[in-house]
Amino acid sequence: MTVGKIIIHQDRCKGCTLCSTVCPQHVIHMDDTRLNARGYHPALFVDNGDCTGCAVCAVICPDVCITVYREAPAPKRARLAEGAAAL
Amino acid sequence: MVDMVMAPPEMQVVYDYPDSLTDTPTSYCPGCTHGIAHRLVAEVLDELGLREQTVLVSPVGCSVFIYQYFNLDACVAPHGRAPAMATGIKRMLPNHIVFTYQGDGDLVSIGAAEILHAAARGEKITTIFINNAIYGMTGGQMAPTSLPGQKTTSSPTGRDIVSTGNPIRMSEVIAQLDGAAYIVRRSLHDVASIRKAKKAILTAFKVQMAGLGFSMVELLSSCPTNWGIAPETALEWIEQNMLPYYPVGDFKVRDDVKAL
């Protein structure tokens, strides 16, 4: 599975919870233990390796707080060429 | 926008802050879909490479400070008069992209004449129309787009259609006009709809680039604060209550637009 990672800009977040409701891997939670500079409970990314970098959270975030990273996929074409050469 | 020290160098960026938005945090309430609409427009302008050639006309309403959030040239029109101002700008600067960003209180009530006549004249401008069925900035009063029975601060027992009439479906109204080239309605209530909305905004700007006529994208949006519900519930409210009355669809796509 593709490995992804997101960075949530903590002080832009308004704690609307939309990202945590749409995340298919359930790796975004609302941080109820602290407040950010604007007085909201920000969203918190749990980096447990489940994130696939699908960017659904970034698409729904109304405050554009989320930057999404994804591991570069191994070049499929090169693998196919390798397989053909092995035959 | 993000702390670059934290950015993992071995990974590629798949979603980042658009260049057409400034760093200014928006004044919108948590969960307001205005922010999503802003981002979609900014991404489209980035993709088309139009940031330096675009003029934005700001409305009156929650999005009156939109000129602070977009990294574009902009001016503020009096309430409802954004299409009239955009007409003047577009006629003076025909090589520029001019768009208005208006809410339902701005476009459907006080600005109804301006938008209808801009569309009737076939002005080569684009309008992004945010329909959240309520007046947001002034405290949640009933708008011409409020649904039958919807409780607002000025209709505390629910909108009475006998005395206030039925909500106006503005996209369908404007689609009747010959000058309109591309009139569609999209929703912002889930991720799939947001992606479709972005495609519609892209087409609307392409229509203007090709000089085909007036283009408008209506976006069904949420107003969690004035509807009095949580942001995620507000998105469900759009799906359950607004979508049946305001169906998503293409109301006018002229043949020359289809060829784009």
Side-chain angles (χ1 to χ4, degrees), chain A residues 1-6 22-28 45-58 66-73, chain B residues 11-15 195:
Chain A
M1 194 185 281
T2 322
V3 179
K5 182 182 170 71
I6 63 168
V22 297
C23 178
Q25 300 290 329
H26 308 290
V27 290
I28 308 177
F45 172 54
V46 184
D47 197 359
N48 58 4
D50 283 350
C51 179
T52 61
C54 68
V56 162
C57 51
I66 304 177
T67 308
V68 184
Y69 299 89
R70 196 184 296 156
E71 214 168 58
Chain B
M11 290 184 169
Q12 58 187 9
V13 179
V14 289
Y15 210 100
R195 292 192 202 275

PDB file of all heavy atoms in Angstrom, chain A residues 1-6 22-28 45-58 66-73, chain B residues 11-15 195:
ATOM      1  N   MET A   1       0.848  -1.202   0.000  1.00  0.00           N
ATOM      2  CA  MET A   1       0.000   0.000   0.000  1.00  0.00           C
ATOM      3  C   MET A   1       0.880   1.248   0.000  1.00  0.00           C
ATOM      4  O   MET A   1       1.939   1.259   0.614  1.00  0.00           O
ATOM      5  CB  MET A   1      -0.889  -0.016   1.240  1.00  0.00           C
ATOM      6  CG  MET A   1      -2.021   0.978   1.173  1.00  0.00           C
ATOM      7  SD  MET A   1      -2.949   1.020   2.715  1.00  0.00           S
ATOM      8  CE  MET A   1      -3.965  -0.410   2.566  1.00  0.00           C
ATOM      9  N   THR A   2       0.402   2.256  -0.708  1.00  0.00           N
ATOM     10  CA  THR A   2       1.165   3.504  -0.752  1.00  0.00           C
ATOM     11  C   THR A   2       1.220   4.126   0.635  1.00  0.00           C
ATOM     12  O   THR A   2       0.241   4.119   1.368  1.00  0.00           O
ATOM     13  CB  THR A   2       0.483   4.510  -1.692  1.00  0.00           C
ATOM     14  OG1 THR A   2      -0.030   3.798  -2.794  1.00  0.00           O
ATOM     15  CG2 THR A   2       1.455   5.566  -2.151  1.00  0.00           C
ATOM     16  N   VAL A   3       2.372   4.656   0.968  1.00  0.00           N
ATOM     17  CA  VAL A   3       2.523   5.302   2.267  1.00  0.00           C
ATOM     18  C   VAL A   3       2.418   6.808   2.090  1.00  0.00           C
ATOM     19  O   VAL A   3       3.054   7.380   1.215  1.00  0.00           O
ATOM     20  CB  VAL A   3       3.873   4.927   2.903  1.00  0.00           C
ATOM     21  CG1 VAL A   3       4.026   5.631   4.242  1.00  0.00           C
ATOM     22  CG2 VAL A   3       3.966   3.430   3.070  1.00  0.00           C
ATOM     23  N   GLY A   4       1.597   7.401   2.906  1.00  0.00           N
ATOM     24  CA  GLY A   4       1.424   8.850   2.820  1.00  0.00           C
ATOM     25  C   GLY A   4       1.667   9.508   4.148  1.00  0.00           C
ATOM     26  O   GLY A   4       1.919   8.854   5.168  1.00  0.00           O
ATOM     27  N   LYS A   5       1.608  10.797   4.120  1.00  0.00           N
ATOM     28  CA  LYS A   5       1.800  11.580   5.340  1.00  0.00           C
ATOM     29  C   LYS A   5       1.130  12.916   5.109  1.00  0.00           C
ATOM     30  O   LYS A   5       1.143  13.433   4.000  1.00  0.00           O
ATOM     31  CB  LYS A   5       3.298  11.765   5.595  1.00  0.00           C
ATOM     32  CG  LYS A   5       3.643  12.525   6.863  1.00  0.00           C
ATOM     33  CD  LYS A   5       5.158  12.679   6.960  1.00  0.00           C
ATOM     34  CE  LYS A   5       5.564  13.631   8.065  1.00  0.00           C
ATOM     35  NZ  LYS A   5       5.366  13.122   9.416  1.00  0.00           N
ATOM     36  N   ILE A   6       0.508  13.452   6.140  1.00  0.00           N
ATOM     37  CA  ILE A   6      -0.045  14.794   6.007  1.00  0.00           C
ATOM     38  C   ILE A   6       0.531  15.686   7.090  1.00  0.00           C
ATOM     39  O   ILE A   6       0.959  15.208   8.146  1.00  0.00           O
ATOM     40  CB  ILE A   6      -1.592  14.817   6.095  1.00  0.00           C
ATOM     41  CG1 ILE A   6      -2.076  14.337   7.452  1.00  0.00           C
ATOM     42  CG2 ILE A   6      -2.214  14.026   4.966  1.00  0.00           C
ATOM     43  CD1 ILE A   6      -3.539  14.602   7.696  1.00  0.00           C
ATOM     44  N   VAL A  22     -14.098  12.458   7.166  1.00  0.00           N
ATOM     45  CA  VAL A  22     -14.000  11.861   5.829  1.00  0.00           C
ATOM     46  C   VAL A  22     -12.813  10.919   5.676  1.00  0.00           C
ATOM     47  O   VAL A  22     -12.755  10.162   4.718  1.00  0.00           O
ATOM     48  CB  VAL A  22     -13.914  12.934   4.711  1.00  0.00           C
ATOM     49  CG1 VAL A  22     -15.175  13.765   4.670  1.00  0.00           C
ATOM     50  CG2 VAL A  22     -12.688  13.802   4.866  1.00  0.00           C
ATOM     51  N   CYS A  23     -11.864  10.945   6.633  1.00  0.00           N
ATOM     52  CA  CYS A  23     -10.642  10.142   6.466  1.00  0.00           C
ATOM     53  C   CYS A  23     -10.986   8.656   6.417  1.00  0.00           C
ATOM     54  O   CYS A  23     -11.518   8.104   7.380  1.00  0.00           O
ATOM     55  CB  CYS A  23      -9.666  10.402   7.606  1.00  0.00           C
ATOM     56  SG  CYS A  23      -8.183   9.399   7.464  1.00  0.00           S
ATOM     57  N   PRO A  24     -10.682   7.967   5.297  1.00  0.00           N
ATOM     58  CA  PRO A  24     -11.042   6.544   5.209  1.00  0.00           C
ATOM     59  C   PRO A  24     -10.195   5.660   6.114  1.00  0.00           C
ATOM     60  O   PRO A  24     -10.588   4.542   6.437  1.00  0.00           O
ATOM     61  CB  PRO A  24     -10.813   6.209   3.734  1.00  0.00           C
ATOM     62  CG  PRO A  24      -9.905   7.249   3.221  1.00  0.00           C
ATOM     63  CD  PRO A  24     -10.079   8.470   4.067  1.00  0.00           C
ATOM     64  N   GLN A  25      -9.012   6.142   6.521  1.00  0.00           N
ATOM     65  CA  GLN A  25      -8.130   5.338   7.368  1.00  0.00           C
ATOM     66  C   GLN A  25      -8.246   5.693   8.845  1.00  0.00           C
ATOM     67  O   GLN A  25      -7.571   5.105   9.689  1.00  0.00           O
ATOM     68  CB  GLN A  25      -6.671   5.527   6.908  1.00  0.00           C
ATOM     69  CG  GLN A  25      -6.410   5.112   5.485  1.00  0.00           C
ATOM     70  CD  GLN A  25      -6.475   3.606   5.303  1.00  0.00           C
ATOM     71  OE1 GLN A  25      -6.173   2.845   6.196  1.00  0.00           O
ATOM     72  NE2 GLN A  25      -6.919   3.170   4.137  1.00  0.00           N
ATOM     73  N   HIS A  26      -9.059   6.693   9.156  1.00  0.00           N
ATOM     74  CA  HIS A  26      -9.278   7.142  10.543  1.00  0.00           C
ATOM     75  C   HIS A  26      -7.973   7.497  11.251  1.00  0.00           C
ATOM     76  O   HIS A  26      -7.728   7.078  12.380  1.00  0.00           O
ATOM     77  CB  HIS A  26     -10.043   6.088  11.349  1.00  0.00           C
ATOM     78  CG  HIS A  26     -11.301   5.645  10.666  1.00  0.00           C
ATOM     79  ND1 HIS A  26     -12.397   6.461  10.532  1.00  0.00           N
ATOM     80  CD2 HIS A  26     -11.619   4.492  10.026  1.00  0.00           C
ATOM     81  CE1 HIS A  26     -13.339   5.820   9.869  1.00  0.00           C
ATOM     82  NE2 HIS A  26     -12.900   4.631   9.523  1.00  0.00           N
ATOM     83  N   VAL A  27      -7.115   8.231  10.562  1.00  0.00           N
ATOM     84  CA  VAL A  27      -5.856   8.627  11.197  1.00  0.00           C
ATOM     85  C   VAL A  27      -5.853  10.108  11.588  1.00  0.00           C
ATOM     86  O   VAL A  27      -4.823  10.634  11.991  1.00  0.00           O
ATOM     87  CB  VAL A  27      -4.629   8.329  10.296  1.00  0.00           C
ATOM     88  CG1 VAL A  27      -4.403   6.836  10.197  1.00  0.00           C
ATOM     89  CG2 VAL A  27      -4.792   8.940   8.920  1.00  0.00           C
ATOM     90  N   ILE A  28      -7.000  10.776  11.463  1.00  0.00           N
ATOM     91  CA  ILE A  28      -7.079  12.164  11.916  1.00  0.00           C
ATOM     92  C   ILE A  28      -8.058  12.231  13.083  1.00  0.00           C
ATOM     93  O   ILE A  28      -9.189  11.755  12.981  1.00  0.00           O
ATOM     94  CB  ILE A  28      -7.538  13.112  10.794  1.00  0.00           C
ATOM     95  CG1 ILE A  28      -6.681  12.917   9.549  1.00  0.00           C
ATOM     96  CG2 ILE A  28      -7.467  14.560  11.251  1.00  0.00           C
ATOM     97  CD1 ILE A  28      -7.108  13.755   8.372  1.00  0.00           C
ATOM     98  N   PHE A  45      -2.862  14.599  13.342  1.00  0.00           N
ATOM     99  CA  PHE A  45      -2.578  13.457  12.476  1.00  0.00           C
ATOM    100  C   PHE A  45      -1.870  12.383  13.284  1.00  0.00           C
ATOM    101  O   PHE A  45      -0.857  12.662  13.937  1.00  0.00           O
ATOM    102  CB  PHE A  45      -1.712  13.927  11.305  1.00  0.00           C
ATOM    103  CG  PHE A  45      -1.197  12.819  10.433  1.00  0.00           C
ATOM    104  CD1 PHE A  45      -2.064  11.896   9.866  1.00  0.00           C
ATOM    105  CD2 PHE A  45       0.162  12.706  10.172  1.00  0.00           C
ATOM    106  CE1 PHE A  45      -1.589  10.880   9.056  1.00  0.00           C
ATOM    107  CE2 PHE A  45       0.639  11.694   9.362  1.00  0.00           C
ATOM    108  CZ  PHE A  45      -0.232  10.784   8.800  1.00  0.00           C
ATOM    109  N   VAL A  46      -2.406  11.173  13.263  1.00  0.00           N
ATOM    110  CA  VAL A  46      -1.778  10.062  13.961  1.00  0.00           C
ATOM    111  C   VAL A  46      -0.936   9.306  12.938  1.00  0.00           C
ATOM    112  O   VAL A  46      -1.475   8.603  12.085  1.00  0.00           O
ATOM    113  CB  VAL A  46      -2.842   9.134  14.578  1.00  0.00           C
ATOM    114  CG1 VAL A  46      -2.179   8.033  15.372  1.00  0.00           C
ATOM    115  CG2 VAL A  46      -3.797   9.927  15.446  1.00  0.00           C
ATOM    116  N   ASP A  47       0.375   9.467  13.011  1.00  0.00           N
ATOM    117  CA  ASP A  47       1.262   8.900  11.988  1.00  0.00           C
ATOM    118  C   ASP A  47       1.603   7.457  12.348  1.00  0.00           C
ATOM    119  O   ASP A  47       2.693   7.148  12.797  1.00  0.00           O
ATOM    120  CB  ASP A  47       2.529   9.759  11.872  1.00  0.00           C
ATOM    121  CG  ASP A  47       3.266   9.464  10.581  1.00  0.00           C
ATOM    122  OD1 ASP A  47       2.794   8.597   9.823  1.00  0.00           O
ATOM    123  OD2 ASP A  47       4.301  10.099  10.340  1.00  0.00           O
ATOM    124  N   ASN A  48       0.642   6.545  12.131  1.00  0.00           N
ATOM    125  CA  ASN A  48       0.868   5.133  12.474  1.00  0.00           C
ATOM    126  C   ASN A  48       1.110   4.286  11.234  1.00  0.00           C
ATOM    127  O   ASN A  48       1.032   3.068  11.278  1.00  0.00           O
ATOM    128  CB  ASN A  48      -0.323   4.595  13.274  1.00  0.00           C
ATOM    129  CG  ASN A  48      -1.636   4.733  12.514  1.00  0.00           C
ATOM    130  OD1 ASN A  48      -1.638   5.163  11.362  1.00  0.00           O
ATOM    131  ND2 ASN A  48      -2.727   4.383  13.141  1.00  0.00           N
ATOM    132  N   GLY A  49       1.371   4.939  10.095  1.00  0.00           N
ATOM    133  CA  GLY A  49       1.663   4.184   8.876  1.00  0.00           C
ATOM    134  C   GLY A  49       0.441   3.805   8.072  1.00  0.00           C
ATOM    135  O   GLY A  49       0.550   3.212   7.012  1.00  0.00           O
ATOM    136  N   ASP A  50      -0.762   4.137   8.560  1.00  0.00           N
ATOM    137  CA  ASP A  50      -1.978   3.776   7.835  1.00  0.00           C
ATOM    138  C   ASP A  50      -2.331   4.781   6.750  1.00  0.00           C
ATOM    139  O   ASP A  50      -3.110   4.466   5.853  1.00  0.00           O
ATOM    140  CB  ASP A  50      -3.165   3.672   8.809  1.00  0.00           C
ATOM    141  CG  ASP A  50      -3.124   2.378   9.596  1.00  0.00           C
ATOM    142  OD1 ASP A  50      -2.293   1.517   9.243  1.00  0.00           O
ATOM    143  OD2 ASP A  50      -3.905   2.239  10.549  1.00  0.00           O
ATOM    144  N   CYS A  51      -1.799   5.996   6.832  1.00  0.00           N
ATOM    145  CA  CYS A  51      -2.155   7.036   5.857  1.00  0.00           C
ATOM    146  C   CYS A  51      -1.685   6.625   4.467  1.00  0.00           C
ATOM    147  O   CYS A  51      -0.553   6.189   4.294  1.00  0.00           O
ATOM    148  CB  CYS A  51      -1.533   8.369   6.249  1.00  0.00           C
ATOM    149  SG  CYS A  51      -1.890   9.689   5.080  1.00  0.00           S
ATOM    150  N   THR A  52      -2.597   6.742   3.497  1.00  0.00           N
ATOM    151  CA  THR A  52      -2.248   6.372   2.125  1.00  0.00           C
ATOM    152  C   THR A  52      -1.990   7.593   1.253  1.00  0.00           C
ATOM    153  O   THR A  52      -1.710   7.452   0.065  1.00  0.00           O
ATOM    154  CB  THR A  52      -3.385   5.556   1.491  1.00  0.00           C
ATOM    155  OG1 THR A  52      -4.560   6.366   1.473  1.00  0.00           O
ATOM    156  CG2 THR A  52      -3.656   4.293   2.265  1.00  0.00           C
ATOM    157  N   GLY A  53      -2.125   8.779   1.817  1.00  0.00           N
ATOM    158  CA  GLY A  53      -1.901   9.986   1.034  1.00  0.00           C
ATOM    159  C   GLY A  53      -2.980  10.217  -0.005  1.00  0.00           C
ATOM    160  O   GLY A  53      -2.724  10.742  -1.085  1.00  0.00           O
ATOM    161  N   CYS A  54      -4.229   9.842   0.315  1.00  0.00           N
ATOM    162  CA  CYS A  54      -5.303   9.949  -0.676  1.00  0.00           C
ATOM    163  C   CYS A  54      -5.785  11.386  -0.853  1.00  0.00           C
ATOM    164  O   CYS A  54      -6.490  11.685  -1.809  1.00  0.00           O
ATOM    165  CB  CYS A  54      -6.481   9.066  -0.275  1.00  0.00           C
ATOM    166  SG  CYS A  54      -7.359   9.613   1.199  1.00  0.00           S
ATOM    167  N   ALA A  55      -5.460  12.255   0.087  1.00  0.00           N
ATOM    168  CA  ALA A  55      -5.743  13.694  -0.008  1.00  0.00           C
ATOM    169  C   ALA A  55      -7.222  14.045   0.125  1.00  0.00           C
ATOM    170  O   ALA A  55      -7.608  15.170  -0.150  1.00  0.00           O
ATOM    171  CB  ALA A  55      -5.183  14.289  -1.300  1.00  0.00           C
ATOM    172  N   VAL A  56      -8.042  13.101   0.585  1.00  0.00           N
ATOM    173  CA  VAL A  56      -9.457  13.404   0.798  1.00  0.00           C
ATOM    174  C   VAL A  56      -9.617  14.493   1.867  1.00  0.00           C
ATOM    175  O   VAL A  56     -10.448  15.389   1.743  1.00  0.00           O
ATOM    176  CB  VAL A  56     -10.208  12.108   1.181  1.00  0.00           C
ATOM    177  CG1 VAL A  56     -11.530  12.415   1.815  1.00  0.00           C
ATOM    178  CG2 VAL A  56     -10.420  11.249  -0.045  1.00  0.00           C
ATOM    179  N   CYS A  57      -8.798  14.417   2.908  1.00  0.00           N
ATOM    180  CA  CYS A  57      -8.865  15.421   3.982  1.00  0.00           C
ATOM    181  C   CYS A  57      -8.559  16.809   3.437  1.00  0.00           C
ATOM    182  O   CYS A  57      -9.212  17.796   3.790  1.00  0.00           O
ATOM    183  CB  CYS A  57      -7.894  15.060   5.095  1.00  0.00           C
ATOM    184  SG  CYS A  57      -6.223  14.713   4.522  1.00  0.00           S
ATOM    185  N   ALA A  58      -7.557  16.893   2.555  1.00  0.00           N
ATOM    186  CA  ALA A  58      -7.171  18.191   2.009  1.00  0.00           C
ATOM    187  C   ALA A  58      -8.250  18.743   1.089  1.00  0.00           C
ATOM    188  O   ALA A  58      -8.441  19.951   1.003  1.00  0.00           O
ATOM    189  CB  ALA A  58      -5.853  18.073   1.257  1.00  0.00           C
ATOM    190  N   ILE A  66      -4.080  21.587   5.223  1.00  0.00           N
ATOM    191  CA  ILE A  66      -3.433  20.277   5.112  1.00  0.00           C
ATOM    192  C   ILE A  66      -2.577  20.183   3.861  1.00  0.00           C
ATOM    193  O   ILE A  66      -3.032  20.498   2.763  1.00  0.00           O
ATOM    194  CB  ILE A  66      -4.501  19.152   5.119  1.00  0.00           C
ATOM    195  CG1 ILE A  66      -5.360  19.263   6.375  1.00  0.00           C
ATOM    196  CG2 ILE A  66      -3.844  17.789   5.037  1.00  0.00           C
ATOM    197  CD1 ILE A  66      -6.470  18.258   6.461  1.00  0.00           C
ATOM    198  N   THR A  67      -1.332  19.787   4.051  1.00  0.00           N
ATOM    199  CA  THR A  67      -0.457  19.465   2.936  1.00  0.00           C
ATOM    200  C   THR A  67      -0.275  17.952   2.929  1.00  0.00           C
ATOM    201  O   THR A  67      -0.045  17.363   3.982  1.00  0.00           O
ATOM    202  CB  THR A  67       0.905  20.153   3.095  1.00  0.00           C
ATOM    203  OG1 THR A  67       0.683  21.541   3.316  1.00  0.00           O
ATOM    204  CG2 THR A  67       1.759  19.975   1.857  1.00  0.00           C
ATOM    205  N   VAL A  68      -0.404  17.346   1.761  1.00  0.00           N
ATOM    206  CA  VAL A  68      -0.366  15.892   1.679  1.00  0.00           C
ATOM    207  C   VAL A  68       0.895  15.458   0.935  1.00  0.00           C
ATOM    208  O   VAL A  68       1.235  16.026  -0.104  1.00  0.00           O
ATOM    209  CB  VAL A  68      -1.615  15.348   0.941  1.00  0.00           C
ATOM    210  CG1 VAL A  68      -1.623  13.836   0.942  1.00  0.00           C
ATOM    211  CG2 VAL A  68      -2.881  15.886   1.577  1.00  0.00           C
ATOM    212  N   TYR A  69       1.557  14.464   1.490  1.00  0.00           N
ATOM    213  CA  TYR A  69       2.745  13.883   0.868  1.00  0.00           C
ATOM    214  C   TYR A  69       2.490  12.411   0.614  1.00  0.00           C
ATOM    215  O   TYR A  69       1.743  11.762   1.330  1.00  0.00           O
ATOM    216  CB  TYR A  69       3.962  14.020   1.794  1.00  0.00           C
ATOM    217  CG  TYR A  69       4.322  15.449   2.117  1.00  0.00           C
ATOM    218  CD1 TYR A  69       3.740  16.085   3.206  1.00  0.00           C
ATOM    219  CD2 TYR A  69       5.213  16.158   1.331  1.00  0.00           C
ATOM    220  CE1 TYR A  69       4.052  17.398   3.512  1.00  0.00           C
ATOM    221  CE2 TYR A  69       5.530  17.466   1.623  1.00  0.00           C
ATOM    222  CZ  TYR A  69       4.941  18.082   2.715  1.00  0.00           C
ATOM    223  OH  TYR A  69       5.248  19.373   3.007  1.00  0.00           O
ATOM    224  N   ARG A  70       3.100  11.903  -0.437  1.00  0.00           N
ATOM    225  CA  ARG A  70       2.947  10.483  -0.745  1.00  0.00           C
ATOM    226  C   ARG A  70       4.293   9.961  -1.212  1.00  0.00           C
ATOM    227  O   ARG A  70       5.017  10.644  -1.934  1.00  0.00           O
ATOM    228  CB  ARG A  70       1.896  10.307  -1.834  1.00  0.00           C
ATOM    229  CG  ARG A  70       1.383   8.909  -1.973  1.00  0.00           C
ATOM    230  CD  ARG A  70       0.428   8.798  -3.144  1.00  0.00           C
ATOM    231  NE  ARG A  70      -0.777   9.602  -2.965  1.00  0.00           N
ATOM    232  CZ  ARG A  70      -1.529  10.050  -3.978  1.00  0.00           C
ATOM    233  NH1 ARG A  70      -1.189   9.819  -5.219  1.00  0.00           N
ATOM    234  NH2 ARG A  70      -2.605  10.759  -3.741  1.00  0.00           N
ATOM    235  N   GLU A  71       4.576   8.734  -0.814  1.00  0.00           N
ATOM    236  CA  GLU A  71       5.823   8.111  -1.235  1.00  0.00           C
ATOM    237  C   GLU A  71       5.774   7.902  -2.744  1.00  0.00           C
ATOM    238  O   GLU A  71       4.768   7.436  -3.275  1.00  0.00           O
ATOM    239  CB  GLU A  71       5.960   6.765  -0.538  1.00  0.00           C
ATOM    240  CG  GLU A  71       7.379   6.403  -0.195  1.00  0.00           C
ATOM    241  CD  GLU A  71       7.403   5.225   0.748  1.00  0.00           C
ATOM    242  OE1 GLU A  71       6.863   4.175   0.369  1.00  0.00           O
ATOM    243  OE2 GLU A  71       7.940   5.359   1.856  1.00  0.00           O
ATOM    244  N   ALA A  72       6.854   8.237  -3.417  1.00  0.00           N
ATOM    245  CA  ALA A  72       6.872   8.089  -4.868  1.00  0.00           C
ATOM    246  C   ALA A  72       6.719   6.613  -5.216  1.00  0.00           C
ATOM    247  O   ALA A  72       7.449   5.772  -4.696  1.00  0.00           O
ATOM    248  CB  ALA A  72       8.185   8.621  -5.419  1.00  0.00           C
ATOM    249  N   PRO A  73       5.744   6.261  -6.065  1.00  0.00           N
ATOM    250  CA  PRO A  73       5.552   4.851  -6.401  1.00  0.00           C
ATOM    251  C   PRO A  73       6.726   4.339  -7.233  1.00  0.00           C
ATOM    252  O   PRO A  73       7.305   5.083  -8.032  1.00  0.00           O
ATOM    253  CB  PRO A  73       4.260   4.849  -7.216  1.00  0.00           C
ATOM    254  CG  PRO A  73       4.106   6.239  -7.715  1.00  0.00           C
ATOM    255  CD  PRO A  73       4.804   7.142  -6.753  1.00  0.00           C
TER     256      PRO A  73
ATOM    257  N   MET B  11       9.353  12.136   0.210  1.00  0.00           N
ATOM    258  CA  MET B  11       8.002  11.994  -0.337  1.00  0.00           C
ATOM    259  C   MET B  11       7.709  13.133  -1.299  1.00  0.00           C
ATOM    260  O   MET B  11       8.278  14.208  -1.205  1.00  0.00           O
ATOM    261  CB  MET B  11       6.975  12.013   0.790  1.00  0.00           C
ATOM    262  CG  MET B  11       7.015  10.774   1.647  1.00  0.00           C
ATOM    263  SD  MET B  11       5.717  10.826   2.865  1.00  0.00           S
ATOM    264  CE  MET B  11       5.767   9.172   3.494  1.00  0.00           C
ATOM    265  N   GLN B  12       6.765  12.877  -2.224  1.00  0.00           N
ATOM    266  CA  GLN B  12       6.380  13.940  -3.143  1.00  0.00           C
ATOM    267  C   GLN B  12       5.098  14.594  -2.656  1.00  0.00           C
ATOM    268  O   GLN B  12       4.239  13.950  -2.068  1.00  0.00           O
ATOM    269  CB  GLN B  12       6.207  13.384  -4.555  1.00  0.00           C
ATOM    270  CG  GLN B  12       5.185  12.269  -4.652  1.00  0.00           C
ATOM    271  CD  GLN B  12       5.172  11.638  -6.019  1.00  0.00           C
ATOM    272  OE1 GLN B  12       6.033  11.911  -6.838  1.00  0.00           O
ATOM    273  NE2 GLN B  12       4.186  10.785  -6.268  1.00  0.00           N
ATOM    274  N   VAL B  13       5.008  15.882  -2.911  1.00  0.00           N
ATOM    275  CA  VAL B  13       3.833  16.628  -2.483  1.00  0.00           C
ATOM    276  C   VAL B  13       2.684  16.309  -3.430  1.00  0.00           C
ATOM    277  O   VAL B  13       2.822  16.429  -4.643  1.00  0.00           O
ATOM    278  CB  VAL B  13       4.118  18.139  -2.505  1.00  0.00           C
ATOM    279  CG1 VAL B  13       2.886  18.925  -2.089  1.00  0.00           C
ATOM    280  CG2 VAL B  13       5.271  18.462  -1.579  1.00  0.00           C
ATOM    281  N   VAL B  14       1.561  15.868  -2.887  1.00  0.00           N
ATOM    282  CA  VAL B  14       0.401  15.614  -3.744  1.00  0.00           C
ATOM    283  C   VAL B  14      -0.682  16.663  -3.546  1.00  0.00           C
ATOM    284  O   VAL B  14      -1.597  16.773  -4.341  1.00  0.00           O
ATOM    285  CB  VAL B  14      -0.187  14.201  -3.537  1.00  0.00           C
ATOM    286  CG1 VAL B  14       0.733  13.160  -4.087  1.00  0.00           C
ATOM    287  CG2 VAL B  14      -0.510  13.939  -2.089  1.00  0.00           C
ATOM    288  N   TYR B  15      -0.607  17.425  -2.472  1.00  0.00           N
ATOM    289  CA  TYR B  15      -1.624  18.460  -2.267  1.00  0.00           C
ATOM    290  C   TYR B  15      -1.009  19.584  -1.465  1.00  0.00           C
ATOM    291  O   TYR B  15      -0.590  19.391  -0.340  1.00  0.00           O
ATOM    292  CB  TYR B  15      -2.837  17.890  -1.530  1.00  0.00           C
ATOM    293  CG  TYR B  15      -4.118  18.585  -1.895  1.00  0.00           C
ATOM    294  CD1 TYR B  15      -4.994  18.041  -2.808  1.00  0.00           C
ATOM    295  CD2 TYR B  15      -4.421  19.832  -1.347  1.00  0.00           C
ATOM    296  CE1 TYR B  15      -6.145  18.694  -3.161  1.00  0.00           C
ATOM    297  CE2 TYR B  15      -5.573  20.483  -1.700  1.00  0.00           C
ATOM    298  CZ  TYR B  15      -6.431  19.914  -2.598  1.00  0.00           C
ATOM    299  OH  TYR B  15      -7.573  20.562  -2.954  1.00  0.00           O
ATOM    300  N   ARG B 195     -14.954  17.607  -6.036  1.00  0.00           N
ATOM    301  CA  ARG B 195     -14.129  17.399  -7.236  1.00  0.00           C
ATOM    302  C   ARG B 195     -14.900  17.770  -8.501  1.00  0.00           C
ATOM    303  O   ARG B 195     -14.360  18.347  -9.436  1.00  0.00           O
ATOM    304  CB  ARG B 195     -13.664  15.939  -7.306  1.00  0.00           C
ATOM    305  CG  ARG B 195     -12.669  15.559  -6.212  1.00  0.00           C
ATOM    306  CD  ARG B 195     -12.058  14.208  -6.532  1.00  0.00           C
ATOM    307  NE  ARG B 195     -11.516  13.528  -5.372  1.00  0.00           N
ATOM    308  CZ  ARG B 195     -10.289  13.726  -4.886  1.00  0.00           C
ATOM    309  NH1 ARG B 195      -9.500  14.594  -5.447  1.00  0.00           N
ATOM    310  NH2 ARG B 195      -9.868  13.048  -3.836  1.00  0.00           N
TER     311      ARG B 195
END
